[in-house]
Amino acid sequence: MSVTLDRARELVAAAQAEYVREPDVRDALRVCADRLDEPLRVALAGSLKAGKSTLLNALVGQDIAPTDATECTRVVTWYRRGTSPSVTARYDGDRSMSIPVLRRGGRLSFDFGDLTADRVDRLDVEWPARTLARNTIIDTPGTSSLSLDVSERTLSMLTPEDSASGADAVVYLLRTLSASDTSFLTRINDAVGGDSGPLGVVGVVSRADEVGAGRMDAMMSAKEVASRFAVELEKTGLCQAVVPVAGLLALGARTLRQSEFGALVALADAPPDDLQLAMLSADRFSRPDMPLPVDAETRAGLVDRFGLFGIRMAVTLIRMGTRDSPTLARELVERSGLEELRHIIDVQFGERADQLKAHSALVTLDRVLRASPAAGSRAIIDEVGSTLADVHGFKELRLLGQLRAREVRLPEPEKAELARLVGAQGTETTTRLGLDPDDSVELQRKTAFDAVRSWRSRASHPLLDRFTARACDIAARSAEGILAELDRR
């Protein structure tokens, strides 16, 4: 367990002892303490129809989030690990009821019955999915909804005025990069990071296969768009990364059925000119009069599940020699961009879950105590501020975001080493040091010791600008922490 998480528990416990006779504050502190024991909260946010629910399903590998524009998508929905599927609506302030899970036209939906979305405060979904054991995923309504009330639900959860954000980290989906996106990302960073700066925000160019109109080079076009967005966002350090993801393809690949694979194989065997002509549009591809060896209903289902880009990619892979459905599924997932996003979430969020949860708890604690001052609260507030400022893991996280926004004036090999040392590729000791997992402790210790000396020397160079010197100092502190951990072992 990280020292940061333990320290957060101590400070929350101290506050609970101070406010033992104040029920309202005590309840707020209990919520704060409970948050430290929960999985990391990762919210999916973005504009209307950005593809949040589809991406959630792709990340989990199951259809658990409704994707139709129904009442469900207008409500903040929390997805947690459970032993069996269940949906609970929290409504009218303090009431709750179980919501049936239905399949309509092959799509999952939640039946609100007589309830309307404006009465529902949130939905709690429990589902037996392994991904949800590590992260609680929060699906939010579109921030650019025509209904101000719908947008406000997302803002109230992520960027509340009188408390800390409900999320520890955020995946923000972009179709374009508008002023409203930049403004909302700024609000997220202020809420999630607090006064200590942005910590866990990743940008996603969503529905990436549509950027190139479903052509085979669609993902290449989407990567260029992601690079442009990254350049703009790096000016303010609002995101730690921007990656393109074709969510529909990723979900289709992760849930590929054998019957669909058979249909794709048949299409791959069709005359190329016939298939190319049919795929000029989705409507044309699904027409009954197209001379293709797959019936129109099945073709329409393939478009719905994979999109034209996914079908083109699958047919190309099959023609190149992919002859079984598991291999095709892996290849399609790789080309969807989902694996890159999952890697970033695992490295930036998952491996630093304790730090991010501790940070959220400490920011919440600070706001609770400032709102209800007591005799001993000033000392606790000071300790919280000191912890947020001094904990090295927070400095690493902030630096990782800033490295994309500001130039470190070092040679490229040293820039790469600095990023790796502060955890850009993972927090395992050998990963940070650039060693193999099987390398001896003696070699790890020597490498860490050399890194301390090297980065201390760079940090003290009189000609370095302030930001580069601070980055070198953080790298040296990271190496010192590795050395201390190896000595403890």
Side-chain angles (χ1 to χ4, degrees):
M1 182 173 297
S2 77
V3 175
T4 305
L5 203 59
D6 285 340
R7 183 59 179 150
R9 293 186 198 285
E10 292 172 1
L11 291 170
V12 172
Q16 287 175 318
E18 184 69 29
Y19 288 87
V20 68
R21 295 183 179 178
E22 298 189 34
D24 291 343
V25 180
R26 191 174 67 241
D27 289 344
L29 293 174
R30 178 182 52 76
V31 171
C32 186
D34 291 345
R35 188 163 178 172
L36 293 169
D37 295 321
E38 297 176 1
L40 189 74
R41 299 178 182 178
V42 179
L44 303 183
S47 61
L48 192 67
K49 294 190 178 298
K52 296 180 292 294
S53 300
T54 299
L55 180 59
L56 188 154
N57 289 334
L59 287 168
V60 175
Q62 299 180 44
D63 272 312
I64 68 171
T67 56
D68 287 343
T70 61
E71 294 282 276
C72 311
T73 57
R74 300 175 61 217
V75 177
V76 174
T77 306
W78 294 58
Y79 292 86
R80 310 175 191 269
R81 176 72 180 267
T83 56
S84 61
S86 69
V87 182
T88 302
R90 313 290 178 184
Y91 68 102
D92 291 352
D94 59 352
R95 304 180 67 184
S96 65
M97 65 177 288
S98 180
I99 298 292
V101 179
L102 306 176
R103 293 279 177 183
R104 291 171 173 161
R107 294 183 180 275
L108 180 141
S109 182
F110 302 151
D111 186 0
F112 277 31
D114 294 333
L115 278 180
T116 53
D118 60 292
R119 293 178 59 194
V120 180
D121 301 311
R122 61 187 264 185
L123 293 177
D124 285 326
V125 178
E126 293 192 359
W127 210 274
R130 285 182 297 177
T131 302
L132 298 177
R134 299 190 303 272
N135 300 314
T136 292
I137 303 180
I138 308 168
D139 193 8
T140 65
T143 54
S144 59
S145 172
L146 295 177
S147 168
L148 293 178
D149 289 342
V150 173
S151 293
E152 187 58 36
R153 290 172 187 151
T154 298
L155 296 172
S156 296
M157 196 281 294
L158 287 178
T159 64
E161 294 182 0
D162 56 352
S163 61
S165 174
D168 302 309
V170 178
V171 176
Y172 191 85
L173 281 67
L174 299 152
R175 299 295 306 281
T176 60
L177 184 56
S178 64
S180 61
D181 287 316
T182 304
S183 175
F184 188 58
L185 280 167
T186 301
R187 289 183 63 174
I188 289 174
N189 273 294
D190 290 342
V192 176
D195 293 337
S196 55
L199 292 181
V201 181
V202 169
V204 170
V205 177
S206 63
R207 301 172 67 164
D209 54 312
E210 298 177 10
V211 173
R215 299 188 307 269
M216 280 295 292
D217 63 350
M219 289 302 291
M220 293 297 295
S221 299
K223 287 180 180 179
E224 294 174 1
V225 172
S227 296
R228 292 201 302 271
F229 288 178
V231 169
E232 291 299 315
L233 292 171
E234 282 168 8
K235 295 176 181 177
T236 50
L238 294 179
C239 281
Q240 291 174 281
V242 182
V243 297
V245 179
L248 185 64
L249 173 59
L251 175 59
R254 293 202 70 191
T255 57
L256 178 64
R257 303 158 187 155
Q258 189 62 36
S259 60
E260 293 170 336
F261 175 73
L264 292 167
V265 169
L267 289 172
D269 290 335
D273 290 345
D274 288 350
L275 184 60
Q276 183 175 355
L277 184 63
M279 295 191 70
L280 290 176
S281 71
D283 289 342
R284 187 182 185 89
F285 180 74
S286 303
R287 274 169 38 184
D289 60 342
M290 286 294 101
L292 295 174
V294 176
D295 65 84
E297 184 179 356
T298 300
R299 279 182 270 134
L302 291 176
V303 171
D304 187 56
R305 290 260 295 145
F306 299 90
L308 288 180
F309 172 75
I311 296 171
R312 287 193 178 99
M313 182 62 67
V315 166
T316 300
L317 290 169
I318 291 169
R319 287 173 175 170
M320 292 173 61
T322 302
R323 286 296 167 184
D324 63 83
S325 57
T327 302
L328 179 63
R330 287 194 299 271
E331 294 282 355
L332 291 176
V333 168
E334 179 67 28
R335 285 161 174 77
S336 72
L338 182 69
E339 288 305 303
E340 183 179 3
L341 175 61
R342 290 174 68 182
H343 174 74
I344 291 172
I345 290 175
D346 288 344
V347 171
Q348 300 288 356
F349 299 165
E351 295 188 13
R352 297 182 184 269
D354 285 356
Q355 292 173 357
L356 289 167
K357 288 193 295 183
H359 185 274
S360 296
L362 291 173
V363 171
T364 302
L365 178 60
D366 180 77
R367 294 180 180 180
V368 169
L369 298 188
R370 289 182 185 277
S372 303
S377 62
R378 183 71 256 175
I380 300 173
I381 290 172
D382 290 343
E383 285 294 323
V384 168
S386 176
T387 303
L388 285 172
D390 292 343
V391 171
H392 184 67
F394 296 158
K395 293 182 179 180
E396 287 184 333
L397 281 168
R398 288 193 290 276
L399 178 60
L400 286 172
Q402 292 166 348
L403 285 176
R404 296 179 174 273
R406 303 180 63 178
E407 181 183 1
V408 177
R409 295 176 183 174
L410 294 171
E412 287 301 325
E414 293 180 10
K415 288 182 183 178
E417 181 185 346
L418 184 149
R420 187 187 68 234
L421 193 57
V422 299
Q425 299 175 15
T427 58
E428 289 294 326
T429 296
T430 52
T431 301
R432 287 178 181 261
L433 296 175
L435 300 175
D436 291 330
D438 296 331
D439 283 337
S440 67
V441 175
E442 290 75 14
L443 178 57
Q444 294 177 44
R445 184 178 288 110
K446 179 182 183 305
T447 305
F449 183 75
D450 290 344
V452 171
R453 290 197 305 176
S454 173
W455 288 103
R456 277 278 166 245
S457 176
R458 292 188 182 99
S460 61
H461 196 289
L463 297 182
L464 283 185
D465 64 279
R466 181 177 296 181
F467 176 69
T468 301
R470 185 169 64 83
C472 292
D473 180 68
I474 290 173
R477 287 280 306 278
S478 296
E480 288 170 350
I482 292 170
L483 199 57
E485 177 62 26
L486 289 171
D487 288 340
R488 282 195 295 270
R489 293 179 189 175

